[in-house]
Amino acid sequence: MASFFAIIIGVLITAGVFLLLSRSLVRMVLGLAFTGYGVNLTILTVAGLEQANPPLLTLPGPHVDPLPQALILTAIVIGFATTALVLTVALRAYQVAGHEDVEALGDNLARESLEDVDRADPEHQGPDQPDWEDSGAVEVRP
């Protein structure tokens, strides 16, 4: 049983690292999630895969250690929140840049040659062209 879990852990970690090394934002987010699943499964496997009673006082021993299960449950919640945050940032980066290529994100945002390119979200300006620039804002003097 442990060798089966070792193979699954290896596949998850390998797929996660492969996806993390790609240039697409969505693939990187999926790679982060796969790596997290592999680590959670590793914690569960290292804790032991024996079939014992749950840690209740009314049941006779031996008992299963509840700490790895609590750690995994916490990691699942944190991983879900992190994935949601990174997907939101990736969506906004796609709206601003018009593509999801990670290598070209920093270069394309500062170039002036992108002025004639259609944006994914035409209502919002890029970070180098703030929305308030054309609103006729009054300069405040100290």
Side-chain angles (χ1 to χ4, degrees), residues 14 19 25 35 52 80 89 100-101 109 114 123 137:
T14 303
L19 290 172
L25 285 172
T35 305
F80 177 73
V89 170
E100 63 172 348
D101 188 17
L109 293 179
L114 288 178
E123 294 179 8

Side-chain angles (χ1 to χ4, degrees), residues 66-134:
L67 181 64
Q69 296 172 8
L71 287 173
I72 292 169
L73 184 62
T74 305
I76 289 170
V77 172
I78 292 172
F80 177 73
T82 304
T83 304
L85 176 69
V86 172
L87 277 175
T88 304
V89 170
L91 178 65
R92 182 62 183 149
Y94 176 74
Q95 287 176 344
V96 169
H99 58 83
E100 63 172 348
D101 188 17
V102 176
E103 190 173 324
L105 275 179
D107 297 336
N108 288 347
L109 293 179
R111 265 195 241 150
E112 296 170 354
S113 64
L114 288 178
E115 296 301 322
D116 52 326
V117 175
D118 291 335
R119 299 278 184 193
D121 189 6
E123 294 179 8
H124 296 91
Q125 300 291 327
D128 52 344
Q129 299 167 348
D131 292 334
W132 50 265
E133 194 171 86
D134 296 328

Side-chain angles (χ1 to χ4, degrees), residues 21-69:
L21 294 175
S22 70
R23 293 171 47 173
S24 171
L25 285 172
V26 176
R27 293 179 110 197
M28 290 177 71
V29 173
L30 286 174
L32 185 67
F34 282 175
T35 305
Y37 299 148
V39 169
N40 289 342
L41 198 56
T42 303
I43 293 171
L44 184 66
T45 305
V46 168
L49 297 173
E50 70 264 357
Q51 293 195 2
N53 289 329
L56 300 174
L57 296 177
T58 57
L59 297 175
H63 299 292
V64 174
D65 186 18
L67 181 64
Q69 296 172 8

